[in-house]
Amino acid sequence: IIAVGVIDILPFCVSSVYLYYDPDFSFLSLGTYTSLSEIGFVRELVHSFPSLQYYYLGFYIHSCQKMRYKGQYSPSWLCCPESFTWQPIDQCRPLLDISAYARLDPIKDNVDSNLFSRLSEVKVLYSRQIMSYIDYVGLFGKEEEENDEVTAYGSLVGQQLVNRLLLYRST
């Protein structure tokens, strides 16, 4: 064995997760070879599972030379880390050449539609009871101590999941 590729088969896509290979065989361009093999595999699967519509090459790190081959496939799109909109890779490359982190969406008014904004909508599970974060703070008077942590939680999971999850608290 000179290479191993790991993929996820999901309801609507196949996602390339990881490839590792013996560096003595790097001259074979195994990343390109396995990508083409995976694309062929998706094309076979779609006959049995028509809901499979996409192939994702996985993470693209512009500063990593070993990953540059991923940008050679067309169409290729990158997700803007601020607006979570998909942008053509050709538009993104110049920005990523300047900085490892860049807003890729050129429309400055586009924002993350799932951006967390309301502490009042956080639900807390405390002592086997569900209550709003505001009610929980009222019980313990911990607003100063906990607001930053709960805001960080909301920012990580997003407003949609804040509305569906319970934040567990033991005290």
Side-chain angles (χ1 to χ4, degrees):
I1 295 178
I2 61 170
V4 174
V6 179
I7 61 172
D8 273 343
I9 300 174
L10 302 164
F12 301 103
C13 70
V14 171
S15 179
S16 185
V17 177
Y18 200 75
L19 169 70
Y20 56 95
Y21 58 89
D22 184 331
D24 291 342
F25 292 89
S26 61
F27 67 93
L28 293 174
S29 300
L30 293 168
T32 300
Y33 174 77
T34 57
S35 295
L36 292 172
S37 296
E38 290 167 357
I39 290 169
F41 179 59
V42 171
R43 293 181 76 171
E44 288 178 32
L45 282 178
V46 78
H47 296 297
S48 300
F49 304 98
S51 64
L52 281 175
Q53 299 176 32
Y54 304 102
Y55 169 68
Y56 292 110
L57 281 165
F59 286 115
Y60 173 81
I61 301 172
H62 187 71
S63 60
C64 179
Q65 196 61 39
K66 289 181 180 180
M67 291 191 173
R68 289 280 176 105
Y69 74 92
K70 294 179 180 188
Q72 296 172 357
Y73 294 89
S74 183
S76 281
W77 297 74
L78 297 178
C79 186
C80 175
E82 294 181 15
S83 67
F84 294 99
T85 57
W86 292 96
Q87 305 300 320
I89 195 169
D90 291 336
Q91 171 187 307
C92 302
R93 281 191 187 113
L95 300 169
L96 295 170
D97 285 338
I98 296 168
S99 173
Y101 178 87
R103 178 185 172 89
L104 305 175
D105 187 340
I107 302 171
K108 299 296 181 201
D109 291 339
N110 284 349
V111 294
D112 177 9
S113 62
N114 191 30
L115 191 64
F116 173 70
S117 60
R118 298 178 294 278
L119 277 171
S120 61
E121 293 189 16
V122 173
K123 294 177 207 69
V124 174
L125 177 63
Y126 170 73
S127 191
R128 297 184 182 187
Q129 291 185 328
I130 298 171
M131 61 187 75
S132 71
Y133 173 69
I134 304 304
D135 290 341
Y136 171 77
V137 166
L139 285 174
F140 296 101
K142 291 186 171 188
E143 185 172 5
E144 296 283 329
E145 300 168 23
E146 298 225 356
N147 272 0
D148 290 342
E149 183 179 328
V150 175
T151 299
Y153 155 77
S155 297
L156 288 171
V157 303
Q159 190 65 48
Q160 290 174 357
L161 285 178
V162 159
N163 294 339
R164 298 172 62 191
L165 294 173
L166 297 174
L167 178 62
Y168 175 75
R169 288 293 187 240
S170 57
T171 57

